[in-house]
Amino acid sequence: MKLLDFFRKSSELYSLEGEEFVKGLLKLCAQFLSAQRVSLWTVKEDILFCEYMYLQNEDGFIGGLLVRKESCAGFMDYLQKQIVISAEKPFGTEISACMGEYLVFRDTKSLLMASLTDRGKLTDLIMCEYDTKRAHSEEDICILLLSTVYLREHHERQRALFTANMYNVLSAVNNIVLNVNSKEEIFQQLCQIMVQVAGLRMVWIGFLDDEGNLKPHYACGSVEGYLDEVKINIHDERLSKGLSARAILEQKVQVNNDTETNPAILPWRVQMLKRKYLSSCAYPIMLKGKVIGTINLYSDKKDFFSQEVIRLVEEVGENVSFALEHLDTLKNVQILYKAVEQSEEWTLITDVEGKILYANPAVERISGYTREELIGKTPRVFKSGFHDREFYKKLWDTILSGEEFHEIFINRRKDGSLFYVDQIISPIKDDKGKITNFVSTARDITLIREIEEKMHKIINYDPLTNLSRRDHFLKELERNIKEKRDSTLVIFLMDVHNFSAVNALYGYEFGDKVLRSFAERLRTLPGFWARYGDDAFIGFKELDSKEGLYNLLKDIFKVGELKLEDLSYRLGLHVGVSIYPDDANNAQDLLHAVEIALRNAQKKAPGSFELYNEEEKEKLLERLKLAEELRRALQKGEFLVHFQPIYSSLDLKPVMAEALLRWNSERFGFLEASSFINILEETELIVDVGYYVFEQCVSVIKQYNLEIPISINLSPVQIKREDLPDRLFEITMGVPAERILLEITEGVIIEDLQKAYKLLKVLKERGFSIVLDDFGVKYSSLSYLAKLPIDYIKIDMSFTREVDADEKVLNVVKAIVAIANTLGLKTVVEGIERPSQLDILRKVGCHYLQGFYLSKPMEIRDFLKLLRS
């Protein structure tokens, strides 16, 4: 509410000009921010200078304070990076080094300050002082940032107003050239124009005599006897140090932007300040390459002579020189053209069809295109895609009707980045009222938009963790619910157990590091995450399936495993979970549900979680328990490897075997792999278990000197690990590689054919034979089959099951065998359960046979007996 009132009040200041606007804005800041003192400081060459300071208790202004710039470098860098600083006594090193003496003098207890920058360089700062310690709200910060935007806009308006006045000066000077007949009239009228039109306090024009004296000849404005005391001689060292003499000697403009602080003005300071000449400028008048005098300008405003103003002053001086040399009208037009060329404002001229005829350097600077690249093109070259057809239709309808079109454009630079311009497109008509051209003038407001984005970040993001704040999270959750009504969203609310003890034991600075580190790790997880409280965090994610909930919970608990300052820390987390739409259909109710779930989790030991939905909770708990049992099973050696013989179709003798995983669980009994393999893969425990199977097989081969190969399955999780070939080579060291067959499913290979090819090639180079498992179920293709370095094709049991009952299936099997023979590959058929299947598969030419009809999986001792028999 306060921000809205400030916005209304500040809008009333726009009718004020010059320092009245600045003073009004500082006073308004003091009222709305309850500050005892509000001041505007300007960065000058060697100092920070206080232009205006509003004193609340006196309801008045003072100025003229200064601090040396060399002691403020750290403070200026810090302020420029932070944009806004809120500080309490004792103040930090940077602030104390710069402002320490002044703040002690004022007995200031707390500060709120914000920076103004121009082209990435600090130019000004607004400082609010308080005689008591005070915490500043987000609204206070927004008010101060808004004030910096208003002040920058005011500076730009003042520059624009002066620019307009100077253009009027140029126009008036052109008129002088056309209509006056003597040098005296030119300079007298020029003096009057600079005071009356440009708004300068005093102007005088002097000329050199033969002895090198610069004597005033024309003067206008508040002279007040000043020229009676001026003595300038370019040959006398004592009288040649002022602006006018240096302008003659160096033949270029000389500027004093602060009479109060500029040491070069010391001999004239008292007299100038007495007459309120707060800044001044001297420009040499040239005639045929020789300096004949100077135009001397005085303003009642500090820093009046900016680079833009100086350029315009130079143009005025050049105009005068041209006038003295009796240049024609065309030359005067060129002067105005140069003014536009040097303007900081965007100027673009097109024909009636929109083709660009002219672009000034500001267009080149802002857009990144050169003039040559733009001439002949249309403004569509700047199109960003952020404006729809209706926008451009309104634009053309407006300007073709003879009206101006004023709007903020989002354009794209040549390098692809965006820029924002406040643009006016005006139609130009000939004497008959027909539109002949369009002129576009624009102001680059990209910086203002960046400030707005920074304000957005300050309001919506937590500064410590850089995560979203609670309110921003709530808005994002509401938006996702509206946009994804048919999706499943899961909300996680977690708190760090007993975090206050961390702060108590190690200090708040270390506690902040812990929270930052936790937040950084949390951001690596999929989903949208936010800080919910001092040591509480919240997030949501869309789920494709309920199984994904387990994986994300596992990752959340892993996030609490931190490493700081070469020490490892494990944060105890409690997590509450609610699910949309199962538990609620709106953001507020989902938050209520997840808070209840968190409270239930907090009743248990750290590392616990609670689901608001009891049914889902029970299912998830069972999976968690099973995963933990599997982890313990590996540690306790409960996993077994059984071997199922694979027979030659020629003589039905066992010539190889497939290694199959079994679990002899104390709790669940004897289990086949199909009942728990999914949990192994979800938890990635399959990697360790898979290598365990390899180690057992290698041990059997070595111990019993097996001469037939063992076929071992590789899971998709194992295959994706880059260290797989090296690990297998390390495990199988001492065993002939031809004793090991590696079974890889067809679907895994097709996921990334190029990567699979590289992996299989490396495995082949290490001596392993490759079996393509489940062939024919998914993507069977001759094109990739011919390229892959494989040795065997394993025909899926779904074909075996129907081969003796369905002729179409039989024909498919025949085709697979024919393909394998053509490519020089061997075929293995699994799942043989009937004698009719065995007879058919032998007749069609399958090389190797496997199935319960021939032999079930067995322990190693039974397998050895089979081989001996």
Side-chain angles (χ1 to χ4, degrees):
M1 192 66 182
K2 186 167 68 171
L3 181 61
L4 184 60
D5 291 340
F6 179 82
F7 180 82
R8 290 171 180 159
K9 284 286 187 182
S10 58
S11 62
E12 296 173 5
L13 298 175
Y14 276 83
S15 59
L16 302 177
E17 296 293 337
E19 69 177 17
E20 295 304 315
F21 174 90
V22 177
K23 289 181 176 180
L25 183 61
L26 296 180
K27 184 174 181 179
L28 203 60
C29 282
Q31 294 171 356
F32 275 81
L33 298 177
S34 303
Q36 278 68 56
R37 293 169 294 284
V38 180
S39 52
L40 173 65
W41 296 73
T42 301
V43 179
K44 297 186 179 295
E45 185 175 353
D46 298 312
I47 61 169
L48 283 180
F49 187 75
C50 178
E51 301 282 1
Y52 309 98
M53 178 181 291
Y54 176 72
L55 307 176
Q56 181 83 279
N57 59 344
E58 298 178 12
D59 192 22
F61 288 85
I62 63 172
L65 303 176
L66 60 88
V67 292
R68 292 296 170 189
K69 193 173 176 181
E70 62 262 19
S71 61
C72 296
F75 165 72
M76 291 167 63
D77 289 342
Y78 180 61
L79 178 58
Q80 187 168 350
K81 291 176 182 176
Q82 296 296 319
I83 301 175
V84 175
I85 295 176
S86 175
E88 291 184 355
K89 189 175 181 181
F91 301 106
T93 305
E94 294 89 353
I95 297 176
S96 298
C98 182
M99 298 277 191
E101 292 183 6
Y102 165 75
L103 295 174
V104 170
F105 169 75
R106 285 289 186 185
D107 195 25
T108 300
K109 298 294 192 304
S110 59
L111 295 172
L112 180 63
M113 59 180 70
S115 64
L116 283 82
T117 59
D118 186 14
R119 297 179 183 87
K121 185 177 181 181
L122 183 69
T123 58
D124 305 88
L125 65 96
I126 299 177
M127 182 167 70
C128 301
E129 299 176 53
Y130 300 86
D131 292 339
T132 59
K133 291 191 175 182
R134 174 185 171 94
H136 298 98
S137 67
E138 294 176 357
E139 198 170 28
D140 293 340
I141 294 171
C142 288
I143 287 173
L144 190 59
L145 283 173
L146 197 57
S147 300
T148 65
V149 173
Y150 288 157
L151 194 58
R152 185 176 302 285
E153 289 179 346
H154 169 70
H155 290 336
E156 291 173 354
R157 284 198 306 273
Q158 292 298 303
R159 283 198 293 267
L161 179 61
F162 180 78
T163 300
N165 288 339
M166 291 304 292
Y167 288 147
N168 291 334
V169 169
L170 290 175
S171 177
V173 170
N174 288 339
N175 189 56
I176 293 171
V177 173
L178 291 173
N179 295 292
V180 301
N181 298 315
S182 67
K183 183 175 69 173
E184 289 75 17
E185 285 183 72
I186 290 175
F187 289 114
Q188 190 59 54
Q189 291 188 31
L190 176 63
C191 251
Q192 294 172 357
I193 289 168
M194 298 299 284
V195 172
Q196 296 171 6
V197 181
L200 293 166
R201 184 162 181 81
M202 192 267 283
V203 177
W204 65 275
I205 298 173
F207 294 99
L208 283 171
D209 62 15
D210 295 335
E211 286 74 37
N213 296 304
L214 183 65
K215 295 186 176 180
H217 282 249
Y218 308 94
C220 292
S222 301
V223 181
E224 302 175 11
Y226 178 71
L227 298 179
D228 297 337
E229 302 180 23
V230 170
K231 292 183 179 179
I232 301 170
N233 186 287
I234 62 173
H235 304 307
D236 188 334
E237 186 176 349
R238 295 172 304 164
L239 305 176
S240 63
K241 296 182 179 179
L243 298 186
S244 302
R246 293 211 315 273
I248 295 170
L249 293 171
E250 297 177 22
Q251 297 188 12
K252 64 180 182 180
V253 65
Q254 301 293 323
V255 176
N256 154 49
N257 261 326
D258 194 340
T259 302
E260 289 182 319
T261 62
N262 188 349
I265 303 300
L266 184 60
W268 304 274
R269 179 173 295 159
V270 174
Q271 295 301 324
M272 291 178 70
L273 291 176
K274 181 179 178 181
R275 295 165 177 84
K276 208 176 179 181
Y277 303 158
L278 301 185
S279 57
S280 57
C281 172
Y283 183 82
I285 302 172
M286 306 291 294
L287 181 61
K288 297 180 180 179
K290 182 180 178 181
V291 179
I292 63 170
T294 58
I295 303 173
N296 305 278
L297 312 174
Y298 297 78
S299 173
D300 57 1
K301 299 177 182 64
K302 295 176 183 177
D303 294 316
F304 182 81
F305 297 97
S306 64
Q307 290 299 316
E308 185 178 11
V309 172
I310 292 169
R311 285 197 295 269
L312 289 168
V313 169
E314 290 172 340
E315 289 173 24
V316 169
E318 291 170 4
N319 230 349
V320 169
S321 296
F322 289 140
L324 293 175
E325 296 174 2
H326 304 287
L327 293 176
D328 58 14
T329 304
L330 180 60
K331 206 66 174 179
N332 294 319
V333 172
Q334 291 174 341
I335 295 171
L336 291 175
Y337 169 79
K338 187 173 182 181
V340 176
E341 284 282 284
Q342 294 182 348
S343 172
E344 294 293 324
E345 302 293 322
W346 166 296
T347 303
L348 196 73
I349 301 174
T350 74
D351 64 15
V352 73
E353 295 177 354
K355 290 183 179 179
I356 298 172
L357 305 176
Y358 168 79
N360 74 340
V363 174
E364 294 179 298
R365 174 178 55 80
I366 295 170
S367 73
Y369 288 95
T370 65
R371 193 180 323 214
E372 291 74 17
E373 290 173 321
L374 294 174
I375 300 301
K377 303 281 180 61
T378 68
R380 282 195 295 270
V381 71
F382 308 124
K383 196 172 181 179
S384 65
F386 281 81
H387 301 294
D388 55 20
R389 289 184 178 180
E390 195 60 34
F391 177 90
Y392 290 108
K393 183 178 182 300
K394 182 181 178 183
L395 185 160
W396 281 104
D397 288 346
T398 301
I399 60 178
L400 289 175
S401 69
E403 300 294 326
E404 287 186 347
F405 183 81
H406 186 186
E407 191 54 81
I408 292 175
F409 285 69
I410 306 174
N411 290 335
R412 197 173 295 280
R413 295 187 180 92
K414 183 180 179 180
D415 64 6
S417 61
L418 298 177
F419 66 97
Y420 298 78
V421 287
D422 186 1
Q423 185 169 215
I424 299 174
I425 302 175
S426 306
I428 305 299
K429 301 177 182 179
D430 61 15
D431 295 337
K432 297 179 181 179
K434 181 182 178 181
I435 297 175
T436 59
N437 300 90
F438 297 107
V439 175
S440 161
T441 56
R443 181 169 59 96
D444 186 1
I445 59 169
T446 306
L447 179 63
I448 295 175
R449 285 302 180 104
E450 290 173 352
I451 291 175
E452 291 174 351
E453 291 173 3
K454 289 174 182 175
M455 288 173 62
H456 171 80
K457 185 172 183 181
I458 289 171
I459 294 170
N460 292 303
Y461 288 85
D462 172 56
L464 176 64
T465 63
N466 207 28
L467 293 176
S468 293
R469 297 182 190 269
R470 184 182 186 278
D471 290 343
H472 189 216
F473 172 86
L474 191 60
K475 291 176 184 176
E476 281 297 310
L477 181 58
E478 288 171 342
R479 184 179 65 80
N480 274 265
I481 289 173
K482 289 178 182 178
E483 294 177 357
K484 303 174 181 177
R485 292 188 180 277
D486 298 327
S487 300
T488 298
L489 298 177
V490 59
I491 295 88
F492 301 91
L493 178 60
M494 67 207 80
D495 82 322
V496 181
H497 176 69
N498 201 20
F499 188 73
S500 59
V502 176
N503 287 329
L505 288 172
Y506 303 103
Y508 285 96
E509 183 176 352
F510 181 83
D512 288 347
K513 288 182 180 179
V514 171
L515 292 177
R516 274 195 296 268
S517 179
F518 179 82
E520 288 174 2
R521 287 174 57 80
L522 194 61
R523 273 197 299 273
T524 64
L525 300 184
F528 186 92
W529 303 96
R531 190 178 184 189
Y532 200 70
D534 289 341
D535 56 0
F537 298 84
I538 194 167
F540 70 87
K541 183 187 181 299
E542 182 180 359
L543 288 183
D544 297 326
S545 63
K546 296 291 177 64
E547 285 73 18
L549 177 57
Y550 167 76
N551 290 329
L552 197 49
L553 268 171
K554 177 193 69 175
D555 292 337
I556 287 172
F557 285 114
K558 281 185 178 179
V559 164
E561 299 171 4
L562 307 178
K563 189 169 184 180
L564 288 171
E565 300 177 355
D566 297 326
L567 295 174
S568 297
Y569 298 86
R570 187 186 184 99
L571 298 181
L573 299 179
H574 296 99
V575 182
V577 182
S578 65
I579 299 173
Y580 167 87
D582 298 2
D583 301 328
N585 58 11
N586 64 78
Q588 287 290 355
D589 289 345
L590 285 167
L591 287 187
H592 181 65
V594 80
E595 286 172 350
I596 292 173
L598 177 61
R599 282 198 292 272
N600 291 333
Q602 289 170 331
K603 296 175 184 177
K604 300 183 178 181
S608 301
F609 73 92
E610 284 288 334
L611 284 168
Y612 186 74
N613 185 307
E614 290 297 324
E615 182 180 349
E616 290 297 325
K617 172 188 170 182
E618 291 302 322
K619 292 179 183 177
L620 198 55
L621 279 174
E622 286 302 318
R623 295 178 73 85
L624 283 170
K625 290 176 182 176
L626 183 56
E628 194 58 36
E629 287 286 344
L630 288 167
R631 191 171 282 105
R632 282 197 288 267
L634 180 61
Q635 295 170 353
K636 293 162 65 176
E638 291 182 355
F639 289 118
L640 305 174
V641 178
H642 281 196
F643 300 88
Q644 185 175 24
I646 299 173
Y647 295 83
S648 169
S649 65
L650 297 176
D651 53 14
L652 292 183
K653 290 184 178 180
V655 292
M656 61 182 79
E658 181 179 1
L660 297 171
L661 182 65
R662 298 292 184 261
W663 180 16
N664 188 17
S665 170
E666 290 182 4
R667 178 180 177 188
F668 302 108
F670 190 81
L671 299 175
E672 294 185 1
S674 58
S675 62
F676 57 84
I677 194 70
N678 288 340
I679 302 297
L680 288 178
E681 290 185 343
E682 285 179 9
T683 59
E684 295 193 2
L685 191 59
I686 189 66
V687 175
D688 293 331
V689 173
Y691 290 140
Y692 169 82
V693 171
F694 269 91
E695 289 168 354
Q696 294 300 307
C697 291
V698 168
S699 176
V700 165
I701 293 171
K702 288 181 178 179
Q703 183 177 350
Y704 300 106
N705 195 26
L706 284 184
E707 295 184 356
I708 66 170
I710 303 297
S711 182
I712 307 173
N713 290 279
L714 286 174
S715 79
V717 178
Q718 285 177 291
I719 290 170
K720 291 176 181 177
R721 297 179 73 93
E722 294 183 358
D723 64 345
L724 175 66
D726 292 335
R727 285 297 307 275
L728 294 185
F729 188 73
E730 178 184 334
I731 292 172
T732 59
M733 189 85 67
V735 171
E738 59 268 18
R739 296 285 188 271
I740 303 292
L741 305 181
L742 303 178
E743 287 199 25
I744 301 174
T745 60
E746 181 186 22
V748 173
I749 291 176
I750 296 302
E751 283 183 11
D752 190 337
L753 195 58
Q754 186 175 8
K755 186 175 180 180
Y757 174 80
K758 292 180 179 178
L759 172 64
L760 297 181
K761 184 179 178 183
V762 172
L763 293 173
K764 284 286 290 180
E765 289 172 351
R766 298 288 177 95
F768 298 112
S769 296
I770 309 297
V771 181
L772 183 62
D773 197 8
D774 296 341
F775 183 78
V777 177
K778 292 190 177 182
Y779 306 96
S780 310
S781 168
L782 283 174
S783 61
Y784 84 77
L785 198 60
K787 296 176 182 177
L788 293 174
I790 60 178
D791 302 280
Y792 300 85
I793 292 176
K794 197 165 195 178
I795 300 174
D796 188 70
M797 66 175 62
S798 62
F799 294 103
T800 310
R801 195 176 297 121
E802 304 293 333
V803 73
D804 58 347
D806 189 329
E807 188 174 353
K808 291 181 179 178
V809 173
L810 176 58
N811 289 332
V812 170
V813 173
K814 288 179 179 179
I816 294 175
V817 173
I819 291 170
N821 290 333
T822 302
L823 297 175
L825 306 176
K826 302 294 184 180
T827 52
V828 181
V829 183
E830 63 181 349
I832 299 174
E833 297 178 351
R834 297 187 293 273
S836 57
Q837 295 170 334
L838 176 63
D839 293 339
I840 290 173
L841 293 168
R842 292 184 74 184
K843 288 178 182 178
V844 299
C846 295
H847 299 94
Y848 302 104
L849 309 168
Q850 178 183 1
F852 278 22
Y853 176 72
L854 294 169
S855 182
K856 293 182 179 180
M858 58 189 70
E859 295 181 19
I860 182 61
R861 63 176 178 270
D862 296 326
F863 179 58
L864 292 173
K865 288 179 183 178
L866 175 67
L867 291 179
R868 285 195 292 269
S869 67

